[in-house]
Amino acid sequence: MCSISRAALCAALGLAVSAPASHAHAVLERKEASPNAAYRGVVQIMHGCDGQPTTRVSVTIPEGVTGAKPMPKAGWQITTARGAYAKPYPSFHGTVSEGVKTITWSGGELPDDQVDEFTFLARVSDAFGPGATIYFPVVQDCATGVYRWSEIPVEGQKSADLQSPAPAVRVVAAAEQGSSSIPAARTGDLAIDTPWLRATPGGAKVAGGYVRITNTGSQPDRLTGASMALAGRGEIHTMSMEGGVMKMAPVVGGLAIKPGETVELKPGGLHLMFLDLTGAPKVGEPVRGTLTFERAGAVPVTFSVAPIGAQAPTATGGGHQHH
């Protein structure tokens, strides 16, 4: 394990030491979705209720969004309410006429001065065409008090004009979401979502890589390695802060991905570390690479490149890849 100062590591990787907090309240991380495609909803709770901690988060799944499934969250219990859809919708396995209408996480405690994410997977049906907006009302309960992020703008009105706007997603054609030059494929039971890199300054020898991986099968798998065209080698790393010192270490033996589990490699936590760079990743220029798994083997991917210090892939980079 290596211990280095946070400032030194941030300089090496182009990490942002801090970022301004959003003034929003309950928002969806992913702002775009495509018809007849999977959508990963990440509800971000930005603060509590007048200083009180958040103890319950409930999201309504709107008509036309099907097959919703919540992601487990440590320290929180999940309940769902099912109901009939207004009409049958196509799915991966024929048609569906009912499903989850509400997902609720409760029993945990999110302090007012902290942020957290509550995740679900679903499918956007063809009931929504490009240009439409889908609203996911959220109720946020606190130790005392409640916020209802459920207002939907009427024609001619903007969400910014509302006091408690519902989190929204814009529907775009599949080719518009991310880069159309990055193909979608499928290999076995792994869904590989939005592999991306941070651009690096000239002369840098390391670059950070990030990706979400979901195991949709019944057998565990393990991410054992990674490579990309501009690096001599790649490793899987953990990162943590202890006493103001950032500690980083390779993941020995690979990263386990259990059946039904989603593992996210993102800034500030688990990530890919590409070393011995032979060139600098540049914004807007995708980089070919490979993720290696114990069961699935070597899976080709294309990394989009976001700006130095980015906390998420840019809207014009990356793609949703099912492998």
Side-chain angles (χ1 to χ4, degrees), residues 114-303:
Q114 297 179 20
V115 300
D116 208 344
E117 299 177 334
F118 299 80
T119 303
F120 63 91
L121 301 178
R123 179 177 175 81
V124 175
S125 75
D126 58 5
F128 301 99
T133 300
I134 309 175
Y135 296 93
F136 292 81
V138 171
V139 177
Q140 174 190 358
D141 287 290
C142 298
T144 57
V146 59
Y147 283 130
R148 300 186 184 277
W149 309 109
S150 58
E151 291 184 283
I152 297 174
V154 298
E155 186 175 354
Q157 191 178 33
K158 298 180 180 179
S159 292
D161 298 329
L162 304 175
Q163 282 193 323
S164 304
V169 175
R170 185 171 68 94
V171 178
V172 299
E176 296 178 40
Q177 187 178 14
S179 171
S180 60
S181 64
I182 298 178
R186 189 171 183 87
T187 301
D189 297 322
L190 297 181
I192 299 175
D193 186 6
T194 319
W196 64 287
L197 306 167
R198 279 178 169 149
T200 61
K205 294 300 180 183
V206 296
Y210 315 97
V211 66
R212 294 188 188 99
I213 305 169
T214 300
N215 186 345
T216 63
S218 59
Q219 298 294 322
D221 208 335
R222 187 177 297 270
L223 178 65
T224 59
S227 64
M228 75 164 182
L230 299 177
R233 57 195 175 97
E235 298 177 349
I236 308 162
H237 279 210
T238 61
M239 182 183 294
S240 61
M241 289 292 295
E242 295 184 17
V245 177
M246 184 168 287
K247 294 188 176 183
M248 186 169 59
V251 176
V252 179
L255 181 62
I257 308 172
K258 300 175 183 178
E261 180 180 59
T262 294
V263 174
E264 183 171 10
L265 285 73
K266 60 183 180 180
L270 286 166
H271 61 282
L272 302 175
M273 176 71 80
F274 293 105
L275 305 101
D276 304 329
L277 294 185
T278 58
K282 298 179 181 179
V283 176
E285 297 183 8
V287 180
R288 299 289 179 180
T290 301
L291 299 180
T292 303
F293 297 89
E294 191 172 73
R295 294 185 67 251
V299 179
V301 296
T302 302
F303 295 94

